[in-house]
Every structure is written in C-alpha cells, then in structure tokens.
Amino acid sequence: MDAALEASTMRKVYIRLLPFAIICYILAYIDRINSSFAALTMRGDLNMSAADFGFAVGTFYWAYFLFEVPSNVIMEKVGARIWIARIMITWGIFATATAFVTGSTSFGIMRFLLGMGEAGFFPGLILYFTYWFPARHHARIVSGFLVGLPIAVAVGAPVSTGLMSLHGLFGLKGWQIMYIAEGLPTIVLGVVCYFVMTNKPEQATFLTQPEKDWLASKLATERKAKDAVRVYSMLESMWNPKVLLLALNYLGIVTASLGMLFFIPQIIKSLGHSDNMTVGWLTMIPYICGGIALIVWGRLSDRMNERRWHLLVACLLSTGGLVLAGLTMGTWWAMVGMSLAAMGFYGSKGPFFAMPSMFLSGTALAAGYAWINSIGNLGGFFGPWWIGVMKDLTGSYSGGLYGLALLSFVSAVVCALFLHIPDPATGKAPTLAPAQ
C-alpha cells in the first residue's frame, strides 16, 4: 500500500513541478548566457576588448553574491509562489533592457542589475524541491531540473545566433533584437508562475488527501532525523565548515564551467568558422553531452545513495577535458575536450546539490543553499575575466583553459579529502552499493 501510494504521489509531483521548473530555468539561463553569443558582434560594435567583455559580463555574479542569501531567506518566509514570480519578472525587465547598452560601463551595470534581479532563483527552486521531494529523490530532481541548463545552451545557441541574423530589423542591431526577443518571454512566464506554483504539499489541489498525508509525514520524518543530529541557525549554517568546503568545491567547478561557457562561441569561431549560425549549431555539441551526463549521474547517484564519489569523478572528468582542449586548441580535438569538460561540469550538479540537505533544514538550509551558490557563482566573474585576459595577452585561449583545469582539479581534491557527510538516517557515510 505504501509503495503504491508513494509511486502515485511522486509521479504527480514530478509531472506537476518539474516541466514548468525546467522551462523557467531554460529562460533564466538563456537570459544569463546570451551575452556569449552577442559578443560575436557586440564587442566590435561597442569597441570592447576580450578583457573588457569578460569583466563586464562577470559583474552579474557580484550581484548574485550580494543578494543571493537575502533573497533565499525571504523566499523561505513568504513562499516560492510570489517570490519566484517576482524574480522572473524583474530579471526579464533587465534582460530586455540590455539591448540598449552603449559601452562596457553601461553593459557592466546592466549585467549587475540582471544578477540582482535573478538572485535567489536557482537556490530558491533547489530549496523549493526539498519541500516536495524526499531525500532519495534529491539528486534525480536536481538533475532533472538542471537539464534545463545544457538545453538552454544547446537550444539558445542557434536561436540566439538566428535572432542576431535579423540585423537591421526595426533599425536595431542583431544583438539588440536577440536581447529583446529573449527577455520579454521571461516577463510573461513570471506572471504565469504566480498562478501555477503551489508553496507546500498541504496546499496541493492535484494530490488526494492520503497522498498529501503520506508526503507531509515522510518529509517531517526526514527533517526530524536531521534535526536530531544538530539544528543550525541561519548564521551557523553559513560558517559551517561543511558548507564552506562545499562552497569551495562549487567555486572551482563554476569558475571552470562559466569561463568556458562565455567564450566557447568565440573559441569555436577561432577554429575557422566565420558564420555565426554555424557557430551556434556547433556550440550545441558539448552541452548535449553535458545534458546526457547530468541525467545519468543523477540517476546513478540516487540509485547508489552516494554523492561524494560521483562528484569526484565528475570533477576529474572536467579537469581532463579542459586540459585536452588546451593542448589541442585550433583542432577539432579541442571540441572533444570541451565536450568531456561539459559532461563533468553538469554531471557534478545532481550529487552536489543533494549534499546540503543531508545535514541542514529550514532557514539554515535556505541560507546554506544560497551561500554556497553565491560564493560559487563568483566564479562567473573570475572565469570569463581570466579567459579574456589570457586571450588578450597570448593570442590564444589555451592558457586560460589550463587555469580553469587547475581550479577544477582543486574542486576534485576538496571533494576527495574533505566532503565526508554521513547519511542522517544511519549516521554512516553512504556506500557505493545500490540502494534497495
């Protein structure tokens, strides 16, 4: 009876929450990374060097760092329904307004405002999933949600470059058309979000009363198991050594991931493809590979009830891929290296974001997720800036990729030596045996 009740409940929850969350994340990430495609012509139009562009595009992540924790704590208090809708409408407005920047300074300011508007969206939804999904579903739901990330890059690449080909329409440049066409749908979806999201299982009209009771009881039992070990305050969670080590691991992998992401269209163009549309299609390849790895890693991590070693293998794979790309820059082997790196970047997401909820709950979990994400996303500033500086200094992207590989390797070391987090249900570290 319990097994059938669990199956029916979780099937409804997955169907109700996951597709809409993926669509929201796709739009969020397209608005965040479309500057990498705009740069194909925007840099020349606004007279920005690679370093200027990398610095300006990275100011987004300083705003993330400053506003992420307050945003997530507010969401935990007022509910996801109104707060996620507010976030989407705000960032949609700033994403659209980016079409009207006039240089590196105004571009950097608009990127900062975009980061301020979007702050709390990603950790907010990760936190939201803990209100609905028992622990054994955490890596799968995070991986399923984050599949929107490589989809956003894979789909956004040809869409963004295709919109840029409309150069001259309404007297606008191609990159201006792209920003407007990709920003407005986010505002619309933000309004829809207010009417679609449900804050807690107890309020779900799509579940029967027995299903509501089972899910609420299951989640309450898991929370008691964590609280019996230790209850952390919001401030305690932010200075907890495990949280800081998770943030350090995430900083390395995000710096490497976003450093590659914001310059991959320009790296592919340097292989000899001058047509922007072709660059857009080729950019899909590494992120299709990343999307497949994301799903596979998440399912394996949940099936084995194991997080740490799945994360370690992903970090090592990204390190090796970046080294291969740097060694073979100028050849198609660089594309193979970047594809392997993308598999590592995205394969790490599911097991990683299942780890904080193993020892935090409530407001502490809200603050912990946001703190980890805000520190990690500082890599979104340093990664593109580093790649841009090395390109200007050496004329090649190889040196920048080696630096990113070193950071990814540091993440692997942190994982291997320090990220030992016992299972709160047993008090023991999860093993590599498949869960029954």
Side-chain angles (χ1 to χ4, degrees), residues 93-156:
I93 291 171
F94 290 133
T96 304
T98 308
F100 305 103
V101 301
T102 58
S104 58
T105 300
S106 59
F107 180 49
I109 292 171
M110 193 55 65
R111 289 287 298 179
F112 184 89
L113 292 174
L114 181 65
M116 182 179 68
E118 192 188 324
F121 174 75
F122 173 74
L125 281 177
I126 297 297
L127 176 66
Y128 180 65
F129 291 142
T130 67
Y131 301 160
W132 289 86
F133 292 90
R136 66 187 298 266
H137 293 267
H138 282 181
R140 269 173 291 180
I141 187 59
V142 170
S143 295
F145 166 57
L146 287 177
V147 77
L149 194 158
I151 289 175
V153 182
V155 173

Side-chain angles (χ1 to χ4, degrees), residues 135 138-139 142 301-302 307 349-358 369:
H138 282 181
V142 170
S301 179
D302 272 350
R307 314 303 183 194
K349 303 291 186 183
F352 180 87
F353 281 104
M355 296 174 84
S357 61
M358 294 171 67
Y369 269 137

